[in-house]
Amino acid sequence: MYKYFFKRSFDFLASLIGLVIFSPIFILVTIGLFIVNQGKPFFFQARPGLQGRIFKIIKFKTMNDRKDANGVLLPDAERLTSIGAFVRKTSLDEIPQLVNVLKGDMALIGPRPLLPQYLPLYNDVQKRRHEVRPGITGWAQVNGRNNISWRRKFELDVWYVDNISLILDVKIYFLTIKKVIIREGISQEGQVTMEGFNGKN
């Protein structure tokens, strides 16, 4: 009942309230990133959602668009701005995704939406992560985030799909707050975030 009826209603109401509460922070971060990113405070990217349908995710833009002499983007670590680093460490870059939740592209809690190019790399079990709306946070995020292997992350995502409940979502919500406060698992060692998925790792 919760999974098919109440979860979406709760997500809509909670994200609306969240946008109102975080509006002062939203405005301040937008202004700061507008300045350091030459007028581009937001980052839009195609991601697969429910049943693999593609949508545009909205996040704060934490990296600039600096390129080398050949016109190729510099490595992520060199493009991460000081404001962007702070926004990422505090997970403030996720706030604009509340708009995605309002639109129905995402849920507050669910498997994180990954890149479209990963879709053909999933096995039949891993594909099940798309049986629910992707989330701003999820079971994998509170159990290692970017410090666990892709295989383990997908195992946790599918476990969540099979065990969705109000009690589990509340638990993930409070564990997420804890993770944000202690800033745990934000990046993999040697990476700004995490290495890409290749179907084997």
Side-chain angles (χ1 to χ4, degrees):
M1 185 71 72
Y2 170 75
K3 177 179 179 180
Y4 297 104
F5 297 102
F6 298 120
K7 183 174 171 64
R8 173 60 192 150
S9 298
F10 175 79
D11 284 342
F12 182 88
L13 181 60
S15 59
L16 184 62
I17 294 173
L19 280 172
V20 173
I21 293 174
F22 290 114
S23 58
I25 297 175
F26 189 98
I27 293 170
L28 287 174
V29 173
T30 299
I31 293 173
L33 292 176
F34 182 89
I35 295 171
V36 300
N37 290 332
Q38 291 79 48
K40 298 178 181 179
F42 299 107
F43 171 77
F44 300 89
Q45 189 176 54
R47 298 288 177 93
L50 181 64
Q51 304 303 328
R53 290 191 293 269
I54 304 299
F55 70 97
K56 286 289 183 72
I57 196 171
I58 311 169
K59 298 182 72 174
F60 279 127
K61 188 176 175 66
T62 57
M63 294 186 287
N64 58 39
D65 296 320
R66 289 173 56 207
K67 300 177 181 179
D68 61 21
N70 297 317
V72 178
L73 284 173
L74 293 173
D76 290 356
E78 296 182 35
R79 295 189 295 116
L80 184 64
T81 63
S82 56
I83 295 178
F86 171 78
V87 169
R88 181 172 290 184
K89 285 180 180 179
T90 54
S91 295
L92 293 176
D93 58 322
E94 311 289 355
I95 292 178
Q97 288 171 68
L98 291 173
V99 175
N100 288 123
V101 178
L102 282 177
K103 292 171 59 181
D105 297 327
M106 296 178 64
L108 290 177
I109 297 170
R112 283 293 297 160
L114 303 175
L115 298 174
Q117 55 261 42
Y118 294 165
L119 289 173
L121 303 178
Y122 298 146
N123 60 37
D124 290 340
V125 174
Q126 292 167 347
K127 288 177 182 178
R128 296 196 56 229
R129 69 193 312 277
H130 293 295
E131 292 178 7
V132 298
R133 286 183 176 85
I136 295 178
T137 185
W139 189 233
Q141 280 59 55
V142 299
N143 283 282
R145 199 171 177 178
N146 290 322
N147 278 332
I148 57 176
S149 68
W150 281 106
R151 180 171 307 206
R152 179 57 179 157
K153 183 175 291 190
F154 292 139
E155 288 175 353
L156 293 167
D157 286 343
V158 175
W159 185 90
Y160 174 79
V161 171
D162 289 332
N163 294 275
I164 291 177
S165 69
L166 174 60
I167 293 175
L168 179 59
D169 277 2
V170 170
K171 179 179 180 179
I172 294 172
Y173 175 77
F174 284 107
L175 285 173
T176 297
I177 294 175
K178 176 184 175 183
K179 293 286 183 178
V180 170
I181 292 174
I182 65 178
R183 301 181 184 180
E184 183 179 73
I186 293 173
S187 62
Q188 204 172 55
E189 187 174 353
Q191 304 283 335
V192 173
T193 52
M194 184 177 183
E195 65 174 337
F197 177 60
N198 58 25
K200 299 177 182 179
N201 50 349

